[in-house]
Amino acid sequence: MEQRKPIGGHPHGKGHPEGHPGGIGTTIDYNENPFIVIWEVTRACQLKCVHCRADAQTQPHPNELSHEEGIKLIDEIYDMNNPMLVFTGGDCMMREDLFDLAEYAVKKGMRVSMTPSATPNVTKEAMEKAKSVGLSRWGISLDGPTPEIHDHFRGTPGSFDLTVEKIKYLNELNMPLQINTVISRYNYDSLEKMAELVGELKAVMWYIFLLVPTGRGQMDDCLTPAEHEKVFRWLYELGKTAPYDIKTTAAQHYRRVVIQQKHREKLIDKADIRYEDSITDTAYLIDGLKRAPKGVNDGNGFIFVSHTGDVMPSGLLPIVVGNVREKKLAEIYREAPVLKELRNPDLYKGKCGVCEFRNVCGGSRSRTYAVTGDYLQSEPFCVYIPEALRNNGKELTPNV
């Protein structure tokens, strides 16, 4: 099923100058091309985060993609309808040719961002270099409003103060700032203060990740399904007044919550919310979807390339579906059986399989895999009961 890029902006009408590099109105068929590619340029990192997806190491892997292989990969990504490209790690700043790679991609006309760790490697000079190269945004992680919370989460004393210092550098350079926060048991009770701090630090976006129990992340650190729902409703209300955009990852059911809330506020007419593909148009209204259009999920509009070239549906769904040293990324993305299954919501099992929101939400396939071992099973942290189940299997219009 073809996934269309929305025209809209922020779910509350704020608007934002960014969108897919192809421009407003660009049609993206996720069976052919991704909306965004994440490249883990290195797994080396000096931090010891308790939730680390990558279980990062102190030194670069001897078999990580070479500079020449990186250039080839960038060319292949560009040829897939020029999706967004994000350099991540580990700590991407520990890759010596990082800015050379970034400059090459930017000169091709690609939209490039990076998410380095806040370490001494992030100098003011490095930030100035990033700006001169033409990076569109700098993402930096901040997981609590106090040193006690953030430093514990990051496993490194002094990380909070260092992070705030680096953010102030970015503000001085007028570099657009994205603050990334993993919501878990560690900071759940401090989200109000965290939201205030994100505003004080002049972020243009608060990028929220809901913890997936993979890598060093543990099940006991995850919120309960009811707490997930409470966070989503709070985020929706926050988005009405926050001076920054809000984007979620591994929280696909936030899209369902936004649709429900908009209907309650009479911003969406129930007659406009229909089954299957037609819910697409309604989806354009939610979750800043011009950055992650309707239905983006692991392997569906989203793809991850590891430091050694392994391709996975996402960094949080660690199933290797190919390697860019052996096949072109486009061939892997379009033909890998696992990815084809992930792009077909009709294959979902359990309540996700009959949910009226499965095409716009779909649940976190990575969390489902981490908890159940089956990437097609139901999202284990969603409280919603699909209407088909509430009505003895009768197929009705969605009850939002």
Side-chain angles (χ1 to χ4, degrees):
M1 181 179 65
E2 182 181 284
Q3 311 286 339
R4 294 175 295 164
K5 180 195 178 291
I7 295 172
H10 190 276
H12 302 292
K14 295 180 180 181
H16 200 281
E18 298 179 10
H20 188 274
I24 289 177
T26 298
T27 296
I28 311 171
D29 180 354
Y30 294 156
N31 291 307
E32 292 294 316
N33 300 308
F35 175 79
I36 187 168
V37 177
I38 309 294
W39 177 19
E40 177 192 63
V41 295
T42 184
R43 191 163 283 189
C45 184
Q46 296 174 347
L47 300 181
K48 301 174 182 178
C49 305
V50 297
H51 69 293
C52 183
R53 162 204 64 79
D55 195 13
Q57 310 301 314
T58 57
Q59 299 295 323
H61 193 285
N63 197 37
E64 70 182 25
L65 295 180
S66 68
H67 178 78
E68 292 72 20
E69 289 172 323
I71 293 296
K72 179 175 178 291
L73 175 61
I74 289 171
D75 288 340
E76 292 184 14
I77 294 169
Y78 177 80
D79 288 341
M80 296 178 74
N81 197 30
N82 193 11
M84 294 183 183
L85 173 60
V86 178
F87 294 136
T88 188
D91 177 9
C92 56
M93 293 293 291
M94 292 189 71
R95 175 145 184 150
E96 293 183 358
D97 63 346
L98 177 67
F99 290 119
D100 293 332
L101 293 169
E103 184 173 24
Y104 179 80
V106 170
K107 285 183 175 179
K108 287 181 73 73
M110 300 179 73
R111 188 166 180 76
V112 183
S113 299
M114 64 169 61
T115 59
S117 302
T119 69
N121 291 328
V122 182
T123 62
K124 194 168 185 178
E125 291 70 28
M127 293 179 183
E128 290 171 345
K129 176 68 172 175
K131 185 175 182 179
S132 67
V133 163
L135 261 70
S136 60
R137 177 175 297 168
W138 192 293
I140 198 163
S141 294
L142 190 61
D143 295 296
T146 65
E148 291 76 18
I149 297 173
H150 176 85
D151 290 359
H152 174 73
F153 202 62
R154 291 286 153 180
T156 306
S159 177
F160 178 88
D161 291 337
L162 189 62
T163 299
V164 172
E165 175 187 308
K166 304 307 180 185
I167 288 174
K168 289 179 178 178
Y169 284 170
L170 290 171
N171 286 336
E172 290 177 16
L173 293 170
N174 292 316
M175 170 75 87
L177 167 67
Q178 169 184 310
I179 290 181
N180 303 329
T181 300
V182 179
I183 294 181
S184 69
R185 186 64 49 208
Y186 294 100
N187 55 15
Y188 175 67
D189 294 325
S190 304
L191 295 181
E192 293 277 1
K193 292 182 178 179
M194 188 66 210
E196 293 176 6
L197 181 58
V198 172
E200 292 171 5
L201 294 174
K202 302 178 182 178
V204 299
M205 184 190 294
W206 192 16
Y207 206 133
I208 291 175
F209 298 75
L210 272 295
L211 184 66
V212 173
T214 189
R216 294 178 194 152
Q218 300 297 312
M219 181 71 80
D220 290 345
D221 298 333
C222 294
L223 305 186
T224 66
E227 288 169 337
H228 275 76
E229 196 79 359
K230 184 177 179 181
V231 167
F232 295 151
R233 293 185 181 228
W234 173 76
L235 285 175
Y236 177 77
E237 294 301 321
L238 175 65
K240 295 178 179 179
T241 58
Y244 43 79
D245 281 347
I246 297 170
K247 176 69 180 69
T248 58
T249 287
Q252 282 78 0
H253 35 324
Y254 176 57
R255 301 168 184 172
R256 183 259 307 162
V257 169
V258 171
I259 289 176
Q260 290 176 310
Q261 294 296 97
K262 282 187 172 292
H263 176 259
R264 293 184 182 108
E265 296 173 8
K266 301 188 184 304
L267 298 174
I268 299 176
D269 186 82
K270 190 170 183 177
D272 292 333
I273 303 176
R274 301 176 292 274
Y275 261 72
E276 308 298 343
D277 300 350
S278 57
I279 205 170
T280 301
D281 293 323
T282 299
Y284 285 1
L285 299 172
I286 69 172
D287 196 23
L289 290 186
K290 56 162 186 15
R291 287 183 298 274
K294 171 256 183 185
V296 168
N297 210 320
D298 303 289
N300 185 33
F302 188 108
I303 200 70
F304 177 92
V305 181
S306 83
H307 60 301
T308 57
D310 284 336
V311 179
M312 306 176 212
S314 79
L316 297 169
L317 207 175
I319 297 177
V320 177
V321 297
N323 190 289
V324 296
R325 283 176 165 142
E326 299 168 2
K327 292 182 180 180
K328 287 188 175 183
L329 181 62
E331 181 181 353
I332 296 170
Y333 180 83
R334 295 164 186 167
E335 300 300 330
V338 169
L339 301 182
K340 286 186 173 182
E341 288 187 336
L342 287 167
R343 291 196 287 267
N344 185 358
D346 290 338
L347 295 179
Y348 294 167
K349 302 174 184 177
K351 68 178 186 178
C352 279
V354 298
C355 184
E356 61 269 29
F357 294 102
R358 65 185 177 276
N359 285 308
V360 66
C361 167
S364 170
R365 297 297 97 206
S366 55
R367 186 179 296 106
T368 296
Y369 179 75
V371 174
T372 71
D374 183 350
Y375 51 79
L376 295 176
Q377 265 298 346
S378 289
E379 160 67 68
F381 288 86
C382 179
V383 300
Y384 184 69
I385 304 300
E387 190 164 280
L389 297 181
R390 285 183 277 123
N391 291 279
N392 297 317
K394 296 179 181 179
E395 189 167 295
L396 304 172
T397 55
N399 178 11
V400 297

